[in-house]
Amino acid sequence: MASSAVSAQRKVKVGVLGATGTVGQRFILLLAAHPFFVIEALGASARSAGQKYAQITRWKQSKPIPEAIRDVVVRPCEAEHFKDCDLVFSGLDHDVAGPIEESFRAAELPIFSNAKNYRRDPLVPLVVPLVNTDHFSIIPHQKASLSPSPSRGFIVANANCSTTALVVPLAALERAFGPLDTVLATTMQAISGGGYPGVPSLDILDNVVPLIGGEEDKIEWETKKILGGINADATAFEYHESTPMKISAACNRVPVLDGHMACASVRFAKRPPPSPEQVVEALRAYRCEAQELGAPSAPEQVVYVHDEPDRPQPRLDRDFQNGAGCNVGRVRECDVFDIKFVVLANNVQIGAATSSVINAEVAVLKGLL
């Protein structure tokens, strides 16, 4: 079913949890003019509930609050106040997201979450929409494993922002050339990845901080869940165990507003490895299910490979394709492994809310709702 068919058939009513935060604000901008998602409800903390959205939100986006949203009365983040929604997006902070998202699932509301709480749950698909929407196949088992078993409710998590940037080109390479044996990645991550108000100015101006708590472990663990398959009866993730992959990440916070970059070196399991020219061809040819289904927020090109020797760059390339794709450059031979390259992704778009929106689009287009 194409997106135009969904639009012609009916609008899909959606809610946004954590609507006053920076991730929630991104959700609102993405959804305000969506072809078939319609914002039905906005949820925030108890102190904000009952008030008009514009009155209680510290808006931090470059575009203004959509007019249709300004006077929407914010609701408590309780499932009973979202019963008129077909699905719900969660931009909640991780310290409160877990039990709230679980309560929504139990109340038969599908949740597409940007929070980290369920990423390691063995029943929850961790989905980068440009890579592994086939992992939605575990959703029936997720429902069946719960007591009581929901008929409609489920949770889908999207990945950490730095993981998202890295796994897209890795997925393209594995599809074209088989399993990767070793991945070494050094990230340069924007300050917006730390949320608002983020890193203190005296810590980041004229500086690079060589530690982002928990980030390296997230990349090393999440990549295996995302790139690994699902068993034959769609009841468990494979975590890349059939073809073991070694991953080492070093993460740094840099004084850039938006856009996470990683310098990656990879070694292929199959010998001889592909040439840089073959790698570039494979990256440019890579397509994903979201594109094939006609998901309206999917990028035209999943991986855009730059020919210029000094690209990609955050300031110049992070908003290309509305920040929904990945930018790769400097593809060349590696004297230690096989191939090395640079990848850039917009951490506040495909690294956050845009991933959840495309995940939900794919779920609708596949009839999962």
Side-chain angles (χ1 to χ4, degrees), residues 121-327:
D121 191 306
L123 298 175
V124 173
L126 177 62
V127 181
V128 174
L130 309 181
V131 175
N132 65 320
T133 49
D134 60 309
H135 283 199
F136 284 155
S137 63
I138 204 170
I139 289 175
H141 179 64
Q142 179 188 141
K143 295 177 182 179
S145 299
L146 301 172
S147 182
S149 178
S151 59
R152 290 189 70 253
F154 59 82
I155 295 174
V156 171
N158 55 272
N160 179 55
C161 47
S162 55
T163 304
T164 300
L166 183 63
V167 297
V168 176
L170 297 186
L173 296 180
E174 288 209 316
R175 179 184 294 180
F177 307 112
L180 290 166
D181 173 79
T182 306
V183 177
L184 179 66
T186 300
T187 71
M188 293 161 280
Q189 297 180 221
I191 55 176
S192 57
Y196 186 84
V199 184
S201 58
L202 288 177
D203 286 339
I204 197 62
L205 290 175
D206 189 34
N207 201 22
V208 172
V209 181
L211 173 68
I212 304 174
E215 200 79 357
E216 293 164 359
D217 177 63
K218 291 176 187 176
I219 292 175
E220 293 166 0
W221 190 91
E222 291 180 11
T223 298
K224 294 179 181 180
K225 183 174 182 179
I226 294 163
L227 294 182
I230 293 182
N231 66 1
D233 56 357
T235 58
F237 299 104
E238 190 261 339
Y239 299 100
H240 223 284
E241 291 177 355
S242 61
T243 53
M245 174 194 294
K246 299 182 289 293
I247 307 173
S248 180
C251 297
N252 306 273
R253 188 74 73 192
V254 298
V256 170
L257 183 60
D258 295 326
H260 286 355
M261 182 177 284
C263 297
S265 294
V266 301
R267 185 181 191 279
F268 295 88
K270 294 181 180 179
R271 317 307 293 170
S275 67
E277 293 76 19
Q278 290 173 313
V279 166
V280 167
E281 182 179 1
L283 292 172
R284 286 177 169 156
Y286 178 78
R287 290 183 61 80
C288 65
E289 185 180 31
Q291 292 173 302
E292 304 301 336
L293 290 171
S297 300
E300 183 176 342
Q301 183 147 8
V302 176
V303 181
Y304 183 86
V305 181
H306 294 263
D307 292 321
E308 302 90 337
D310 61 348
R311 301 282 282 274
Q313 297 178 24
R315 184 159 52 88
L316 299 179
D317 301 309
R318 61 194 173 205
D319 293 322
F320 180 54
Q321 302 188 103
N322 296 316
C326 285
N327 296 268

Side-chain angles (χ1 to χ4, degrees), residues 6 10-17 27 31 34 36-42 81-90 104-105 107-113 152-154 156 356-365 368-369:
V6 174
R10 69 179 180 95
K11 296 292 185 179
V12 179
K13 297 179 180 180
V14 305
V16 179
L17 302 176
F27 274 125
L31 297 168
H34 196 276
F36 56 83
F37 289 149
V38 177
I39 297 175
E40 182 72 16
L42 301 177
H81 298 287
F82 287 75
K83 289 182 178 179
D84 47 353
C85 295
D86 297 307
L87 64 90
V88 177
F89 295 102
S90 175
F104 274 64
R105 176 173 64 181
E108 302 290 1
L109 286 163
I111 289 283
F112 292 84
S113 176
R152 290 189 70 253
F154 59 82
V156 171
S356 291
V357 171
I358 302 177
N359 281 339
E361 291 171 351
V362 171
V364 170
L365 294 167
L368 298 179
L369 301 180

